[in-house]
Amino acid sequence: MSAGQDAMPPIPAGSRYVAMGSSFAAGPGIAPRAPASPRRAGRSSGNYAHLVARALGLDLHDVTYSGATTSDILRPSAAGQPAQLEAVTPDTHLVTITAGGNDVGFLPRLTLASLPWPLRALPSVKARVAGFGDPDATDERFAQLEENLATIGRRLRDQAPACRVLFVDYLTILPPHGDDRGGPPPAEIAEWGRAIAARLATTTQAATEAADCEYVAASAASARHHAWSASPWTRRYHLSLRGGAPYHPDAAGMAAVAELVLATLARPPGRFAG
């Protein structure tokens, strides 16, 4: 890296910053809730976007929404929310995106398979758990996900040509293979979850490169901070949202992701950070 690159000016204070994505970016259960945000969005003022915006003095427009898919970033949602891309204006200087898990059933399957037995045994729940595990359907979902992520990146390039676009992947939730600690999720679902998490990371990175954006490898950085570790950045399964939703980031995880984003922004634009 040259001295000239080291001296590259940061994003100016007051610049527009748009945060997009699903619950993993929104931060449901991490107090306090973002002022005036819809309760269903699950937006926390302690999510990584808010921490980054405060650190850099940026004008944050947080449109993250729990349950969102990449389709909800590209188009209005079935619930009537505007396409998240609509928040991006030509003068936007920064966009961060964490999305894709809902597209492939990652967190929904982990959560449903961890419900207490009377609920887990309901035919509707069993059918959804089985459906999310179908290999052929999973391949189709990942193919669509990669296309959607790349399209989001290209659309952002068109809408805000001077904007830095960071795709931030998912913090590690599950312990590594052979290190299961018992309890939910069941072992076979945990094994599936590890494979899906790895595939989400590679898919996000591939789409990022295809769209000439930047990739922040939160998954790799958090490998030793899974939900069963001594210093977790994500939550194990539990029956409330307190401290962070089950199988979602906790406050320490959001702070760690914010540091990864800030470190990425401190370097000249590139394609990879971990």
Side-chain angles (χ1 to χ4, degrees):
M1 188 180 296
S2 72
Q5 287 175 316
D6 285 341
M8 183 179 181
I11 295 173
S15 296
R16 186 180 181 92
Y17 165 24
V18 177
M20 303 192 295
S22 61
S23 55
F24 229 78
I30 300 174
R33 182 168 64 93
S37 63
R39 287 194 176 275
R40 289 184 64 182
R43 267 176 230 147
S44 167
S45 62
N47 67 24
Y48 75 78
H50 279 78
L51 300 179
V52 168
R54 284 198 286 272
L56 299 180
L58 303 180
D59 176 22
L60 175 64
H61 295 258
D62 185 354
V63 293
T64 59
Y65 210 99
S66 294
T69 66
T70 54
S71 293
D72 299 324
I73 296 176
L74 290 164
R75 295 177 286 279
S77 72
Q81 295 297 315
Q84 293 184 18
L85 275 172
E86 290 185 14
V88 178
T89 56
D91 64 343
T92 300
H93 277 71
L94 174 64
V95 174
T96 54
I97 306 125
T98 300
N102 290 325
D103 297 57
V104 298
F106 179 43
L107 295 174
R109 194 176 197 226
L110 287 180
T111 303
L112 290 171
S114 300
L115 291 171
W117 172 249
L119 296 174
R120 199 166 70 240
L122 291 172
S124 59
V125 173
K126 290 174 70 175
R128 289 192 70 198
V129 169
F132 284 133
D134 178 79
D136 291 337
T138 296
D139 287 344
E140 293 175 6
R141 292 178 185 124
F142 268 103
Q144 186 64 59
L145 173 60
E146 186 169 345
E147 181 180 329
N148 283 0
L149 289 172
T151 299
I152 290 165
R154 294 187 186 105
R155 290 268 301 273
L156 287 167
R157 288 293 185 203
D158 291 339
Q159 288 179 224
C163 178
R164 289 188 72 169
V165 179
L166 276 58
F167 283 91
V168 184
D169 74 2
Y170 283 66
L171 289 170
T172 301
I173 301 169
L174 299 163
H177 177 73
D179 193 27
D180 287 318
R181 313 295 177 89
E188 68 275 12
I189 300 295
E191 195 62 31
W192 171 89
R194 279 187 280 269
I196 293 296
R199 197 169 175 182
L200 272 170
T202 57
T203 299
T204 302
Q205 185 176 4
T208 301
E209 292 176 351
D212 197 25
C213 297
E214 297 176 76
Y215 171 60
V216 180
S219 55
S222 60
R224 296 184 180 181
H225 296 278
H226 57 78
W228 281 259
S229 68
S231 53
W233 290 351
T234 50
R235 301 297 312 275
R236 303 184 202 180
Y237 181 78
H238 57 111
L239 288 172
S240 77
L241 293 178
R242 188 183 300 274
Y247 302 139
H248 279 70
D250 59 15
M254 284 297 187
V257 174
E259 288 300 320
L260 291 172
V261 170
L262 289 169
T264 302
L265 294 174
R267 296 191 290 267
R271 289 184 173 181
F272 180 85

